[in-house]
Amino acid sequence: MYRVRRIVFLVAILAVVGCTHDEGQARSLQAIKEEGKLVVLTRNAPTTWYLGRDGKPTGPEYDMVEAFASHLGVEVAYNIKPSIRSIIEGIENGEGDLAAAGLTITPKRQERFRFGPPYQDVTQQVVCRRDNVQPESVEELVGLELTVIADSSYVERLEALKESHPELEWQTVDNRSTEQLLYDVWQREIDCTIADSNIVDHNRRYFPELIAPFNLNRSESLGWMMAQPRKDLESAVASWLESFRKSGRLEVVKEHYYGYFEVFDYVDTRRLIRRVDERYPKYRSYFETAAEQYDLPYILLSAQGYQESHWRARARSPTGVRGIMMLTLNTAKEVGVDNRLDPKQSIFGGAKYLAKLKNERFSDKVEEPDRTWLALAAYNVGRGHLHDAQRLAREQDLNPHRWGDVKQVLPLLSKKFIYQNLKYGYARGYEPVRYVQRIREYQHILENEIEVLSVEPPDPE
């Protein structure tokens, strides 16, 4: 039986400062600076702007907008709109200075608006439910209940396809978001919808039965939208984005929000969701208490425990690591664990070791969240091998303090012409990359699954 999950982008009730300027008037860059406030139109979604678990705004568009505003020396007032149509109308009516809402740059939109340079490429994907319908071509969409959001780039693409497929039909809605339509597909209320690939990747973690049987077009670019007269603002965005990209900060944003979406495993995701009910309640209080004691996010620690053992207290591997946190004998001794099969000892021992890696084994130059990802990688492959990877990163003019750079060179540790010259030698360097990616993916799913558990966790036996 499926449960309706309380997902932030579906149920968040927002209280956001919004500003409206004189209708139809787009402010100049000088006016924005003089007032000290940039008014940004966006929408509430995990790929744009949303409230995090701490109740504070976050999201890829939010991070970029804040960086741009800091560059201008102004503050930001966010005007949260319910739909793409209302965002477009808002820019036309002068309700905001720019729209940062995951908007695709299309020829039709460029006739009416200005866009900043592209900052991300996406692909339109047809999305259906795997046990419902699985069209593999535009021809097979004919006759299906296809629903998309109004005034979207998806509509533009469908209109172009209709010229060669006149029987193609679809419905548009203005009172629902793309994320909500994906939920409707999952609930079997409609057959299929269309969504950008980044939105699909995000939502399949919540609704693993969703599939994307084919792409509707080649990749397109996302950009910030502005009123046509505002060439000055467009130039400012372009100049800032160039420096933001060159500094590596754009890649940091992408890594933070999308770095764990490269691989999707339907079976494993369904299994995790089931085990949140079946296994996790027995150990939840241990994860919470251990995380609090060692200043770690408890959902992160829980996700790591799942990656290590699938929350099996007696788990063991051929290499001799054992228990929920799969501790080696040496590590167990280091953190004071005398019984690796005792779930409480294992969880507390794993938390202590991870905290030690985070707090004692890295330069002060390593900031969060990179410090956490690097510590997890060290937990998996060993601090020595990670040190070798950081050295390789430095030799290749990459940043050894950023996970996004280090994970590029870690697989090289398995290549003889590389590892024979390293202090710690051979390692299966692709494993820590996969390890961290999986934990981040599990953490993302758990944040929503744990939030909707209807009962308090029982005391462990």
Side-chain angles (χ1 to χ4, degrees):
M1 178 178 179
Y2 297 113
R3 298 171 303 165
V4 178
R5 293 167 176 80
R6 188 176 61 187
I7 300 171
V8 65
F9 55 85
L10 294 180
V11 301
I13 299 176
L14 306 173
V16 183
V17 177
C19 296
T20 303
H21 298 283
D22 293 338
E23 184 173 342
Q25 291 191 3
R27 296 191 304 164
S28 68
L29 178 61
Q30 184 62 34
I32 292 170
K33 290 182 176 180
E34 288 177 356
E35 187 174 336
K37 181 163 57 181
L38 177 73
V39 182
V40 175
L41 305 187
T42 189
R43 64 190 189 93
N44 179 213
T47 53
T48 51
W49 181 106
Y50 65 98
L51 296 178
R53 291 180 60 85
D54 58 2
K56 297 179 180 179
T58 188
E61 297 282 11
Y62 171 82
D63 287 359
M64 291 173 61
V65 166
E66 290 293 321
F68 175 58
S70 177
H71 170 76
L72 294 182
V74 301
E75 296 181 351
V76 186
Y78 292 93
N79 191 338
I80 310 303
K81 293 290 187 178
S83 66
I84 295 297
R85 172 179 289 174
S86 61
I87 288 173
I88 293 174
E89 291 175 349
I91 292 296
E92 283 184 318
N93 297 334
E95 296 178 31
D97 301 308
L98 62 82
L103 298 177
T104 304
I105 303 172
T106 68
K108 284 188 176 181
R109 287 174 176 173
Q110 286 178 305
E111 292 175 0
R112 299 166 57 193
F113 304 98
R114 288 188 179 274
F115 280 88
Y119 58 84
Q120 185 177 356
D121 290 334
V122 296
T123 303
Q124 292 186 27
Q125 297 182 321
V126 173
V127 185
C128 311
R129 184 176 168 119
R130 66 173 56 241
D131 54 3
N132 187 16
V133 294
Q134 298 187 28
E136 297 182 356
S137 65
V138 176
E139 289 81 3
E140 293 182 17
L141 286 176
V142 174
L144 298 182
E145 186 179 5
L146 177 64
T147 305
V148 298
I149 57 174
D151 293 317
S152 62
S153 57
Y154 317 139
V155 174
E156 289 188 31
R157 181 58 181 158
L158 288 171
E159 289 174 342
L161 289 171
K162 191 172 177 63
E163 294 180 5
S164 56
H165 300 81
E167 295 182 354
L168 181 63
E169 300 290 342
W170 63 90
Q171 296 178 331
T172 62
V173 292
D174 187 42
N175 60 346
R176 301 184 73 74
S177 66
T178 300
E179 291 80 11
Q180 290 170 317
L181 289 181
L182 291 173
Y183 178 75
D184 290 345
V185 171
W186 183 71
Q187 286 283 74
R188 297 189 179 89
E189 294 179 4
I190 57 177
D191 288 333
C192 304
T193 189
I194 300 170
D196 287 335
S197 51
N198 60 328
I199 301 176
V200 176
D201 286 343
H202 190 103
N203 283 273
R204 288 175 76 184
R205 268 66 194 173
Y206 308 126
F207 313 125
E209 290 80 12
L210 296 182
I211 59 170
F214 70 99
N215 296 337
L216 209 58
N217 64 353
R218 295 181 178 179
S219 65
E220 299 174 305
S221 297
L222 305 183
W224 288 351
M225 176 188 286
M226 290 150 276
Q228 191 61 253
R230 291 278 55 94
K231 185 176 181 179
D232 55 349
L233 184 56
E234 177 194 6
S235 297
V237 170
S239 175
W240 162 79
L241 186 57
E242 181 180 7
S243 62
F244 193 69
R245 194 189 307 272
K246 286 182 178 179
S247 70
R249 293 178 65 192
L250 179 60
E251 286 305 314
V252 170
V253 171
K254 291 180 180 179
E255 163 64 28
H256 179 68
Y257 291 100
Y258 302 110
Y260 50 98
F261 284 165
E262 297 174 3
V263 177
F264 177 78
D265 186 329
Y266 164 74
V267 175
D268 191 48
T269 301
R270 284 300 310 156
R271 187 183 296 122
L272 168 60
I273 292 173
R274 185 171 64 250
R275 287 172 177 169
V276 170
D277 292 317
E278 296 173 350
R279 294 181 182 174
Y280 184 69
K282 291 190 295 184
Y283 309 117
R284 178 176 176 178
S285 66
Y286 291 155
F287 283 114
E288 290 178 334
T289 306
E292 182 178 4
Q293 180 172 330
Y294 293 106
D295 195 25
L296 299 168
Y298 90 89
I299 292 183
L300 172 76
L301 189 65
S302 301
Q304 185 189 12
Y306 186 79
Q307 167 62 24
E308 289 288 357
S309 66
H310 285 193
W311 298 325
R312 290 181 296 124
R314 304 188 68 81
R316 64 186 304 167
S317 80
T319 59
V321 294
R322 304 190 69 177
I324 282 185
M325 300 304 288
M326 297 297 269
L327 301 174
T328 65
L329 274 172
N330 289 338
T331 299
K333 291 179 181 178
E334 181 180 340
V335 296
V337 171
D338 54 33
N339 181 1
R340 291 180 292 166
L341 300 186
D342 180 279
K344 182 177 181 180
Q345 287 194 45
S346 182
I347 291 170
F348 275 77
K352 183 177 181 178
Y353 185 56
L354 179 61
K356 185 174 183 178
L357 288 171
K358 277 186 60 178
N359 300 327
E360 301 178 12
R361 304 292 176 87
F362 293 103
S363 163
D364 291 340
K365 295 180 181 179
V366 182
E367 300 178 351
E368 289 290 5
D370 297 290
R371 180 174 289 270
T372 293
W373 310 144
L374 291 169
L376 286 169
Y379 190 108
N380 174 259
V381 75
R383 184 64 185 94
H385 291 304
L386 191 67
H387 176 80
D388 281 345
Q390 290 180 298
R391 170 189 156 190
L392 281 176
R394 191 177 288 108
E395 290 174 354
Q396 296 186 17
D397 293 326
L398 298 172
N399 190 334
H401 304 139
R402 285 183 181 169
W403 170 243
D405 286 0
V406 174
K407 76 176 184 179
Q408 295 180 43
V409 300
L410 269 166
L412 298 178
L413 301 187
S414 64
K415 297 184 181 296
K416 187 174 182 178
F417 73 96
I418 296 290
Y419 71 71
Q420 64 185 3
N421 298 314
L422 297 177
K423 180 177 180 179
Y424 296 94
Y426 170 82
R428 290 192 294 269
Y430 59 87
E431 287 191 359
V433 176
R434 174 81 166 172
Y435 180 83
V436 174
Q437 179 179 306
R438 280 293 196 181
I439 290 172
R440 294 177 66 182
E441 181 178 318
Y442 293 149
Q443 179 186 15
H444 204 73
I445 298 169
L446 285 173
E447 285 177 348
N448 294 282
E449 290 298 316
I450 292 173
E451 205 171 295
V452 297
L453 286 177
S454 58
V455 295
E456 290 296 317
D459 293 331
E461 299 176 355

